[in-house]
Amino acid sequence: MITTGPVIKDIQPIPQIKKNSASIRLWHWLNAAVITGSLLTVLLHSTLLAPWQNGQIIQAQLKEAGANVTDDQARHAAHELSDRDWTVHTWIGYGLVALVAFRLLLEFFQVADQKFLRGLRRLYRQYKDTKENRAQARHDFWVKTLYAMFYLMIITQAITGLCLAFEDDVPALKAIHAFREIHSFTMYLILGFICLHLGGVYLAERKNNPGIVSDMINGGRE
């Protein structure tokens, strides 16, 4: 009788979980594009499309062409250009609201290890309990905390932006002037975060953790 040994089957490799899911990567880059577009409209409104400057330019140019234009007419034309810029800003804001809602939904449907709040709690425990490499644990925890603050910023920006967009239709919203102030102030906080984020990525790519940018493109590996 011929005996045969155990049949060795091909062992399929266990698929590795990505650091960043495809949904998170899509959200990240769309969010970057939306915030950039929103900030550009604000920049245009305060520079090239500033109505208080363009009104005088329009009036001077039309007078040279032989047309008589009053100050009010020139200001109205300048405000029309500015209003179109704000219309674009508003539609971009709706995109931000959609992305905020998308990100909140992702937190419920993500793989457990990729949930943001779960990761924040895990890093906090490491920071409190770890005695070795405590500096690295502290760094990771505060970086994650900074991202949590950023999420609060964009949620605040989305909510106050919606209130401003519908203030003409809802008198109660128009009566609350704090929405505009909070919206403007939060914009500067987001600008500060962007500077910190870009600076941190640059330093990490050079020193401690190269590959952060590519991980946000191809997902990276755990």
Side-chain angles (χ1 to χ4, degrees):
M1 178 181 295
I2 300 175
T3 59
T4 59
V7 178
I8 300 176
K9 297 181 179 180
D10 292 336
I11 299 175
Q12 296 296 327
I14 299 174
Q16 289 183 311
I17 297 176
K18 297 280 189 178
K19 282 183 180 179
N20 305 301
S21 66
S23 299
I24 284 292
R25 284 176 277 147
L26 176 64
W27 178 86
H28 176 274
W29 294 113
L30 286 178
N31 195 58
V34 164
I35 290 177
T36 300
S38 180
L39 292 174
L40 284 176
T41 58
V42 174
L43 180 63
L44 283 173
H45 181 266
S46 59
T47 54
L48 295 178
L49 297 179
W52 54 88
Q53 296 176 351
N54 286 338
Q56 297 175 352
I57 295 173
I58 290 171
Q59 189 175 32
Q61 291 296 317
L62 289 176
K63 281 185 177 180
E64 288 183 5
N68 292 322
V69 178
T70 65
D71 291 344
D72 288 340
Q73 290 172 329
R75 281 195 296 268
H76 179 75
H79 274 289
E80 182 66 24
L81 293 173
S82 177
D83 289 343
R84 292 188 179 187
D85 177 63
W86 278 126
T87 298
V88 174
H89 181 82
T90 300
W91 281 104
I92 292 175
Y94 292 148
L96 179 64
V97 172
L99 286 173
V100 167
F102 178 59
R103 182 63 186 87
L104 292 175
L105 286 174
L106 277 181
E107 188 64 15
F108 291 99
F109 295 103
Q110 285 280 91
V111 176
D113 290 340
Q114 293 180 342
K115 291 180 182 291
F116 181 85
L117 292 177
R118 181 188 178 98
L120 183 60
R121 288 194 296 267
R122 175 175 54 81
L123 289 174
Y124 177 74
R125 288 195 299 268
Q126 289 179 354
Y127 168 56
K128 286 296 184 181
D129 300 338
T130 301
K131 295 183 179 179
E132 298 180 359
N133 298 323
R134 187 169 178 79
Q136 184 63 43
R138 181 173 60 246
H139 170 268
D140 294 342
F141 168 69
W142 284 111
V143 167
K144 198 78 170 180
T145 301
L146 187 62
Y147 279 106
M149 294 172 63
F150 170 70
Y151 284 132
L152 290 176
M153 291 176 206
I154 60 173
I155 290 172
T156 301
Q157 199 74 340
I159 293 173
T160 55
L162 278 178
C163 293
L164 293 173
F166 290 99
E167 66 178 2
D168 291 335
D169 302 316
V170 183
L173 295 177
K174 197 174 186 66
I176 303 176
H177 301 290
F179 287 139
R180 190 173 301 277
E181 296 174 2
I182 294 172
H183 194 73
S184 299
F185 179 71
T186 306
M187 179 193 70
Y188 290 108
L189 294 179
I190 291 174
L191 277 172
F193 171 83
I194 291 172
C195 293
L196 287 174
H197 178 61
L198 294 177
V201 169
Y202 173 76
L203 292 175
E205 287 284 350
R206 289 196 60 190
K207 297 179 181 179
N208 301 326
N209 191 18
I212 290 179
V213 175
S214 60
D215 284 351
M216 192 50 74
I217 295 173
N218 60 40
R221 296 289 184 183
E222 289 288 3

